[in-house]
Amino acid sequence: MTYLVVHLVHIFSVFIYGGFLFTDNLFLNKMKKDLSGEEHSKVREYFMKYVRQVVPKSLIIAVLSGIYLIFTNFGTIGEDGLSNFQILLSIKAFLGLWLGLRGVLQVFFGIQPLVFKSHIFPFILVVIIIFLSQIMFEV
Ligand code: HEM
């Protein structure tokens, strides 16, 4: 039962975090074509004011719930080394932890990312993570 609840928490927190990245990259950024720089920043701030209250927390919940899930279903490493499932899950976890660390440093410690500062990078990583989260059970 606990696993099911944590798995659902993982999916919903990822839904919120990923949902913001999709909206920001696919829709909000497009507003730049129709608005002046000043107008765009003003409109974006109306949105970001609420995003900041929810999205960083959902990222942290996604990472913490993911850590619980991986400890529960990673399994033991066989004599032949890591299975394909374990390899893909490890890559997915690494990318997720990177996003988590990057987000926490940026939001809670004001430490800006050294590379890939825009929201395009986390967006691309989330798309890759979603694919890995499904492929890992098929290989
Ligand atoms: C922001 C980062 C993350 C995103 C976008 C993400 C996304 C996802 C998605 C879409 C699933 C599939 C859910 C399903 O099909 O049921 C999933 C499952 C999973 N995630 Fe994450 N995840 C993230 C971070 C993490 C981290 C950091 C870890 C581990 C340290 C992790 C461990 C897992 C595990 C073990 C599963 C499999 C659960 C199962 O199907 O039983 N995730 N994740």
Side-chain angles (χ1 to χ4, degrees):
M1 187 61 183
T2 311
Y3 189 88
L4 173 67
V5 171
V6 176
H7 189 189
L8 283 169
V9 167
H10 193 64
I11 293 173
F12 280 107
S13 56
V14 162
F15 190 65
I16 295 167
Y17 176 65
F20 159 67
L21 290 170
F22 274 76
T23 310
D24 194 30
N25 285 285
L26 300 184
F27 307 120
L28 277 187
N29 271 346
K30 299 289 178 287
M31 288 192 308
K32 281 182 188 156
K33 289 187 199 148
D34 310 315
L35 301 175
S36 69
E38 198 191 325
E39 286 170 328
H40 179 257
S41 330
K42 204 170 167 206
V43 171
R44 187 180 161 73
E45 190 45 37
Y46 286 128
F47 180 78
M48 291 306 291
K49 198 169 63 177
Y50 299 103
V51 164
R52 289 190 201 99
Q53 292 168 16
V54 178
V55 173
K57 294 184 186 94
S58 68
L59 174 59
I60 293 172
I61 293 170
V63 170
L64 294 177
S65 58
I67 292 170
Y68 171 86
L69 293 172
I70 202 170
F71 272 101
T72 315
N73 81 353
F74 190 79
T76 51
I77 300 174
E79 275 169 22
D80 307 338
L82 292 172
S83 66
N84 291 340
F85 167 76
Q86 290 168 331
I87 292 169
L88 290 188
L89 178 52
S90 306
I91 297 169
K92 178 192 171 301
F94 169 75
L95 297 177
L97 289 167
W98 181 0
L99 282 177
L101 182 66
R102 187 178 180 273
V104 166
L105 289 175
Q106 193 177 24
V107 175
F108 297 99
F109 299 96
I111 300 170
Q112 298 304 321
L114 299 172
V115 288
F116 314 125
K117 296 178 190 296
S118 82
H119 281 155
I120 295 170
F121 175 68
F123 173 61
I124 293 168
L125 279 197
V126 165
V127 172
I128 294 171
I129 289 174
I130 292 172
F131 276 103
L132 285 173
S133 74
Q134 302 308 307
I135 296 167
M136 65 187 187
F137 289 104
E138 305 303 325
V139 292

